Every structure is written in structure tokens, then in C-alpha cells.
Amino acid sequence: MFPEFEVVRRQRPVTIAVESTSSSRPAANAAIEVACDGPVSLSFTSGGDVLTGRYDGRRVWLAVTTGSRRTTHASRRHARVRRGVSRFALTLTGTMLTALTQETDSAWVARARVDLSELGIEPRDEAWLADLTADHEGAARDVRVGAFGQLGLRDIRAVTYADGSPFRDDDGTVLLTATSAGPGFFPTAHTSVWALDPTTYELVHRGALYFRRDGLVYGDHATHLMRDGDEWVVTTSTWAGFKAPDEKDPGKPWSPVGVTIARSREDVTRGEHVLDATPLALPTDGLTSVGVWDPHLVRRDGEWLVGYVSAEKYFAFHPVLASGPSLDALSLRAARTDRTATEGTTLVPLGGTVVVGASDGRDNPRRVRARYPIFDLDLNEVAELRSAYVSNLPWPTLIPVGDEWLHVAFDGTPYGGLLPGYGTHGEVLISRSV
């Protein structure tokens, strides 16, 4: 069904600060980065809230002032810098404030962080963001202020037309969306847009998408961007607001993951955009489901097909397919409940029909681990994609290029040191059919 693939490129475009001419931010996704020869202080300010990261030549810590309250936050294990620092950065990603250092020609390492929501600060509020400014003091030079970029890329999808064919820019590059990994768990990430040269395999950052819902602006991700006529349709997973259930306190409130939809007539493939998102009801009739994510859409012969993932619990999940005459009249078509760690449900036009790709993670039953199954539209497995299956849950993002195919995947390699924990992963692997 598909040819065999071989890896032709691995890359990881790490960027801390994406420079901007505006000091205010449309979302809680901000960074200030400087070169330094000694002690330096970086800060974000909004109203009476002052968020500061300090490096004194030996240690890194954070100071947060809100009203008359001032707190300091330092890591016992990670604050001390063993060698000299060449660059210092302060980032705001969702509600997480993080200070990072970089030694000459080495990786960025997170040295201190604090969740501002625990201090009564809500940086995702648009009024708070409207007053946000950045500043620096001390031995700072080569100052870069703007959006936070990424520590890694994952959940990569091709931007498509409604029929599932890839959307290409005027220069022939293929457009992709990705989850830009932040310095921590899923609420620190956001959706980014990239251009991929199908010949050189170079990735170029184009912009970022944020989502206005429930009165706040979120960096939701695991996104599908689709061109339908003269508008863009964006479906995404609400990971930026996810709070896992507390096993020690079952009565504690938590936020499940769902799928939202947004539409725009602006060119959302360039620059930063905040989109008004509303829930997209994806059917789970007859399933035990606590959440859905990874939406992917195709319209074929007047019918919508929507692939996604349903979770029986966090985290046990499987692929699902729905169909219907419109996106507000979908019904469940098929589900593979024999899987417990399969996601990345992807609809691929092939030979006059559509097949469904997915990623079988290593936590599945033994017979379906670490592989890319290909299903028909009733989710009967009909083939297996023969391409490198690396760590984590790489997706089967397949892009036709002439008579050949590209497979764009990602792995679970972390970045940024030990302090951020899980969620910094995403080295990009590009494979080509042979």
C-alpha cells in the first residue's frame, strides 16, 4: 500500500525568543533572552505583577511580586551554574515562569521555574497581557524580546485542503503545524506553523496560533489546519488547559481534554493569531470516554470524516472515526478499543479512497506495539507503514511529493535539563520513500 521509508534528516530547531517589534503579547507566550558577561536581571511586568529572573554569576532564581506580596523561587538541585553563562533567558509559557541558561555552544538548561497560578496570577487573561512589558538590568547585550519559540516539535501535521491534499505555498514548500514544546508539561506548549522544503528538508518557522476560549487565551495544540474554500478551519486539542486527575485527592477539580474548532479568513499561516474557538462535539456513543484529542478532517463526496482519539482513562486511549454531512452532525463510525496507547489518527487520501493511519505506542498489547497501522474507513487494519518508529508516539504524517512520499515524525528526546520534567520532547525525523 505504501513503500518502505528511510530516514533522510533529523533536526531540532530550538529557539527561545522569537523577536517581535511589540512589547505586548497576544498570548501568555513570551520570552526575553540576552547575552551576558556577568550578573543580569530580566523581568516581565503587568500592572502590579513583576516577574523577575536573576543570575548573580553563580546561581539562578526567580522573584515574583504581586501587590504587596513578594516570593522567591530557587531550585536546590538546578540553580547553581558550574561554568560561565553566555546567554540568560526568562520565559512565560502559559502559567509557567522559567529561567534558563546557556553555556557557550551548549544546550539551554532550565534553572528555576514557578507556576504563577499558584500565586494568584492569571497571565492568560487578555487585560493582563495588554499591559505586559519586558525589561533587563545588568551586564546584558544582544537583547531579544518577543514570543517564546520551542524546545522541540511534536504532533506534526501537514496543512491540507478539505479533500486531504497537502497545502503548498507559492514557493513549493509544504506547510505544517506542530506542537512547540515548552519548558514543562503540556500547558507550556503552543501551536506553531512551519514551512518544509521537500528537497532540502529545511524547516522555517512561519508563525503561531493561540485560542480564545472560556474567557482566556490558551496555547492549545495537537492541531489540524485546513483550507476550505476561502477560509481556514482550525481544529485543536485543549491540552493547554489540561489538569490531570489527582490520584491522592479524587475530589479535586480537573480539566479533561476536548477538541475545539475555529475559523478565519485571515492568512493564519504567517505571524501570530488569536482565534475564537468553540467546542467541536465528537461522538463517543457506546464508548467509555473521559476525553478526546488529535483531530484530523477530510471532506469526501459531500461527507465529513473526522479522525481522533478517545481516552478510556488518563492515559489509555485508542483511535476513533466519525462521519456525517456536516461537522455539527457527526456520528460514530468506528473505534479500535483493542488499543490502549494509539493516537495520531490521520486521514490519508490514497487511490481514490481514504485510509487511516495511526501510531501504536509501546504501552499497547505486545502484538501492536511500536508500529504504524493503516486502517480502512471501518478501522479494519489493512497494512502497516514501514518507517522508523522511534521513541514516544511519532505520528504517520504522510505527504505525497510527485511519485514519492515523505513521512514527517518526531521522537521523545527531551531538552532543557531535568527541571522541566516530561513535555520538552520533539526531535523531528523526516523519512523518504525508497
Side-chain angles (χ1 to χ4, degrees):
M1 181 172 286
F2 289 101
E4 189 171 353
F5 289 78
E6 65 176 16
V7 177
V8 293
R9 180 73 181 273
R10 299 179 72 111
Q11 56 187 307
R12 188 172 199 136
V14 173
T15 305
I16 300 298
V18 180
E19 292 185 83
S20 172
T21 56
S22 173
S23 59
S24 63
R25 302 292 307 126
N29 187 60
I32 176 170
E33 172 193 341
V34 300
C36 57
D37 301 315
V40 66
S41 174
L42 308 178
S43 63
F44 295 118
T45 301
S46 178
D49 299 328
V50 182
L51 321 175
T52 304
R54 290 194 170 93
Y55 166 60
D56 67 1
R58 295 183 305 166
R59 297 176 69 253
V60 174
W61 71 96
L62 299 169
V64 178
T65 300
T66 177
S68 60
R69 181 186 181 192
R70 185 178 186 276
T71 57
T72 58
H73 310 269
S75 169
R76 292 182 179 179
R77 295 181 58 192
H78 306 289
R80 186 172 296 277
V81 180
R82 303 300 179 185
R83 294 184 290 174
V85 168
S86 61
R87 299 195 71 83
F88 183 55
L90 183 68
T91 66
L92 175 64
T93 52
T95 63
M96 192 69 69
L97 182 71
T98 307
L100 305 98
T101 62
Q102 184 185 45
E103 299 172 8
T104 303
D105 298 325
S106 64
W108 285 93
V109 176
R111 300 291 181 182
R113 67 176 190 160
V114 62
D115 189 342
L116 298 175
S117 65
E118 297 177 356
L119 304 178
I121 298 174
E122 180 47 89
R124 296 168 299 190
D125 180 82
E126 289 186 272
W128 191 93
L129 288 165
D131 289 336
L132 185 65
T133 59
D135 202 358
H136 60 89
E137 296 179 356
R141 52 187 174 79
D142 187 22
V143 179
R144 304 174 188 176
V145 179
F148 171 77
Q150 70 286 327
L151 301 185
L153 297 176
R154 59 178 183 269
D155 306 339
I156 300 168
R157 286 210 187 280
V159 177
T160 67
Y161 290 99
D163 65 0
S165 60
F167 181 93
R168 287 180 168 83
D169 208 352
D170 293 338
D171 60 1
T173 57
V174 176
L175 298 190
L176 307 171
T177 55
T179 295
S180 282
F185 195 51
F186 295 169
T188 69
H190 69 279
T191 294
S192 51
V193 182
W194 297 77
L196 169 67
D197 187 312
T199 302
T200 66
Y201 313 121
E202 291 296 322
L203 281 167
V204 176
H205 182 264
R206 293 273 296 252
L209 304 177
Y210 313 109
F211 301 89
R212 184 184 292 111
R213 57 181 177 85
D214 304 324
L216 301 173
V217 176
Y218 289 89
D220 289 330
H221 44 94
T223 296
H224 180 205
L225 176 58
M226 182 185 70
R227 184 67 172 175
D228 186 18
D230 59 356
E231 72 174 0
W232 292 99
V233 177
V234 190
T235 50
T236 192
S237 316
T238 61
W239 284 116
F242 175 67
K243 292 183 179 179
D246 190 335
E247 295 180 357
K248 297 181 180 179
D249 184 5
K252 186 177 181 180
W254 58 282
S255 300
V257 181
V259 170
T260 63
I261 186 168
R263 290 179 168 86
S264 178
R265 294 182 185 276
E266 298 181 4
D267 181 7
V268 298
T269 69
R270 296 180 184 274
E272 294 181 282
H273 299 266
V274 177
L275 304 174
D276 290 312
T278 58
L280 177 62
L282 297 177
T284 56
D285 312 68
L287 304 175
T288 300
S289 181
V290 298
V292 293
W293 59 83
D294 294 358
H296 198 238
L297 282 61
V298 164
R299 189 176 58 221
R300 174 176 173 266
D301 298 331
E303 178 185 53
W304 283 101
L305 299 172
V306 183
Y308 51 104
V309 164
S310 176
E312 180 178 340
K313 61 180 181 178
Y314 293 101
F315 285 95
F317 44 88
H318 58 82
V320 181
L321 185 66
S323 61
S326 66
L327 292 177
D328 56 3
L330 296 170
S331 59
L332 186 69
R333 178 165 179 157
R336 286 305 299 249
T337 56
D338 61 329
R339 262 66 167 185
T340 55
T342 298
E343 64 178 15
T345 314
T346 303
L347 301 166
V348 185
L350 181 69
T353 186
V354 175
V355 296
V356 184
S359 177
D360 281 335
R362 289 179 171 82
D363 291 334
N364 268 308
R366 184 178 300 276
R367 62 183 178 81
V368 286
R369 290 179 183 170
R371 59 197 290 275
Y372 302 103
I374 303 295
F375 304 103
D376 64 18
L377 293 179
D378 294 318
L379 293 189
N380 299 306
E381 186 169 335
V382 294
E384 181 179 333
L385 186 69
R386 294 171 294 166
S387 190
Y389 197 97
V390 287
S391 53
N392 199 257
L393 278 155
W395 287 8
T397 298
L398 293 165
I399 303 168
V401 179
D403 294 330
E404 299 180 315
W405 291 84
L406 292 182
H407 174 207
V408 186
F410 56 91
D411 73 2
T413 305
Y415 187 96
L418 297 176
L419 182 60
Y422 182 78
T424 65
H425 57 289
E427 180 172 305
V428 181
L429 280 82
I430 300 175
S431 299
R432 197 172 191 110
S433 58
V434 295

